[in-house]
Amino acid sequence: MRPLVHVVGGGPGDPELLTVKGARLLREARFVLYTGSLFPEETLKALAPQAALQDSKGMVLEEIVGRLAEEARKGGVVVRLHSGDPGLYGTLLEEREALEALGVGVEVVPGVTAAFALAARAGLSLTAPEVAQAVAFTRLGVRTPVPEGQDPKSLARKGLTLAVYLSGMHPKKLSRELMEAGLPGDTPVLYGHRVGQAGEEVGLTDLEGLARLSPRDTTVYLVGEALRAKGARSRLYDPSFRHRYRR
């Protein structure tokens, strides 16, 4: 059989937010390569009791791919554990391409991303009828550039909900750019630091308050009017709204 690596989305760090499939693969795993800076090692030891664990945070792509290919060829369940969802701000594409070039197959298992875990923790919705019907995942362009028109400042002008990743060290810059885009200073901002992990902190502020937050890595920001929408009733459950299941 072709060697196989399971790329598993570990979610935000709360073991109960793993998918059933992801949790099963970790239980069965013989080897797990994970990012220790984002996923708690003690949590992983309990989830993958049979596995040899290796932290990838100090490795480069070639080392990661080489080790995964080596372990996959030995057989058994081999897991590359990504935080959140593998398809969002991760290295899924480059790892998959490199592994396949070595004759190793890749199966991807999705995970709960931090923005959804953060909204759920606060009991808030990212969309609201007649307020915001679109969500954009974005980041500030600091060390890594962002394509033109896809940065928070550009997207803010569209009135949608922003989920801002990889920008926790620059709250003042984010606040400034969003207000320069025309968002009022009282626009709600939900922030979460290490959501789902020990030391979690979740809070609600606004764009003016965002500028006063301390810079901290692994902080996610949700920005938009949907976060304070109230009394906005969807048409789906309105008595006057007909569809094939209710006339």
Side-chain angles (χ1 to χ4, degrees):
M1 292 181 62
R2 187 186 189 193
L4 180 66
V5 170
H6 301 273
V7 178
V8 174
D14 182 344
E16 294 187 331
L17 291 180
L18 271 167
T19 64
V20 173
K21 186 171 187 177
R24 175 181 62 79
L25 288 169
L26 286 172
R27 281 197 309 273
E28 298 174 355
R30 182 184 60 75
F31 176 78
V32 177
L33 187 64
Y34 72 104
T35 307
S37 58
L38 298 173
F39 203 91
E41 183 179 359
E42 292 306 312
T43 299
L44 185 53
K45 286 179 179 179
L47 291 169
Q50 305 179 80
L53 307 178
Q54 183 170 352
D55 190 345
S56 68
K57 67 174 178 285
M59 302 169 72
V60 298
L61 177 65
E62 290 76 11
E63 293 173 318
I64 290 171
V65 171
R67 187 63 198 278
L68 288 172
E70 175 189 354
E71 294 296 335
R73 292 185 183 114
K74 295 177 183 177
V77 176
V78 174
V79 172
R80 171 58 167 142
L81 185 67
H82 282 243
S83 62
D85 182 88
L88 190 62
Y89 298 118
T91 55
L92 171 62
L93 293 181
E94 56 196 280
E95 289 179 7
R96 190 200 72 200
E97 289 174 357
L99 284 167
E100 290 179 344
L102 294 173
V104 177
V106 174
E107 179 196 35
V108 181
V109 180
V112 176
T113 190
F116 295 150
L118 174 57
R121 182 73 81 212
L124 297 175
S125 176
L126 299 180
T127 60
E130 300 179 17
V131 178
Q133 292 290 283
V135 180
F137 294 88
T138 184
R139 59 172 296 171
L140 287 171
V142 185
R143 296 183 65 184
T144 302
V146 175
E148 184 177 355
Q150 297 180 27
D151 57 286
K153 186 174 182 179
S154 299
L155 293 169
R157 299 188 177 103
K158 301 181 183 296
L160 38 67
T161 303
L162 296 178
V164 187
Y165 281 58
L166 303 172
S167 305
M169 296 302 293
H170 307 280
K172 289 183 179 179
K173 177 179 172 63
L174 179 61
S175 173
R176 182 179 67 253
E177 291 197 4
L178 293 180
M179 286 197 282
E180 287 175 354
L183 295 186
D186 67 347
T187 301
V189 177
L190 181 66
Y191 61 91
H193 174 68
R194 292 197 171 276
V195 181
Q197 300 183 28
E200 168 192 278
E201 183 178 337
V202 172
L204 186 63
T205 184
D206 55 25
L207 283 180
E208 292 183 350
L210 173 61
R212 295 190 290 271
L213 292 181
S214 299
R216 287 192 297 182
D217 205 0
T218 66
T219 298
V220 175
Y221 305 109
L222 301 177
V223 185
E225 291 297 330
L227 300 178
R228 63 178 167 195
K230 295 181 180 179
R233 183 168 178 167
S234 69
R235 292 188 179 184
L236 179 60
Y237 297 110
D238 190 291
S240 65
F241 190 76
R242 296 182 180 182
H243 52 73
R244 60 178 175 156
Y245 298 108
R246 187 184 68 237
R247 302 190 182 280

